[in-house]
Amino acid sequence: MTRIYLIITGIIGAALGTMILFAPVAFYAGYGIEPAGQVNLLNELRSHGLSLLGAGLFIASGAFLPRFGALATVVAAGLYLSYGLSRLVAVALDGMPSSSLLLAAGVEIAIGLVGVALMLRSPRAATA
């Protein structure tokens, strides 16, 4: 189960990071955000793309390199929970965003909680 989790969450993270880094206008248009022509905003939006891409690749590697499995599970859970919980902070501070951003928050929190459950189920299971 952990291996499947790491593969799926790694691919999601790597794909999102790639889109944010190389096609942010198209990516954010899906959320109703129009950054085209705003150089400073595009720079800021792209800035976390490579870190998300790298995290996704590391997470996926944990499925194939057992010595990284436990750490990759922690990284995945922390990454997705931090995105989802940050969106909840934004809701509290800024108000309700679009339904697609609320859905993203829910999915991120759910993915993160699955990682936590896998870690709690058995610390050794995270290396399988």
Side-chain angles (χ1 to χ4, degrees):
M1 180 68 183
T2 299
R3 181 169 287 177
I4 293 168
Y5 173 78
L6 293 174
I7 291 169
I8 292 170
T9 58
I11 289 171
I12 291 169
L16 292 174
T18 299
M19 287 296 295
I20 290 167
L21 185 60
F22 296 109
V25 174
F27 177 79
Y28 286 104
Y31 293 113
I33 300 168
E34 296 295 331
Q38 300 181 58
V39 174
N40 291 335
L41 179 58
L42 283 168
N43 184 283
E44 183 63 23
L45 293 174
R46 287 182 200 266
S47 67
H48 69 280
L50 189 58
S51 60
L52 186 53
L53 171 58
L57 293 174
F58 176 76
I59 291 165
S61 76
F64 304 102
L65 302 170
R67 68 178 183 252
F68 295 136
L71 182 57
T73 305
V74 171
V75 170
L79 177 74
Y80 288 98
L81 282 174
S82 68
Y83 269 94
L85 295 175
S86 291
R87 291 184 196 276
L88 294 182
V89 170
V91 168
L93 296 176
D94 304 323
M96 292 298 268
S98 69
S99 60
S100 58
L101 289 171
L102 289 173
L103 177 61
V107 169
E108 290 158 350
I109 291 169
I111 290 171
L113 290 175
V114 168
V116 170
L118 288 170
M119 289 184 296
L120 293 175
R121 183 185 77 184
S122 170
R124 293 182 193 268
T127 61

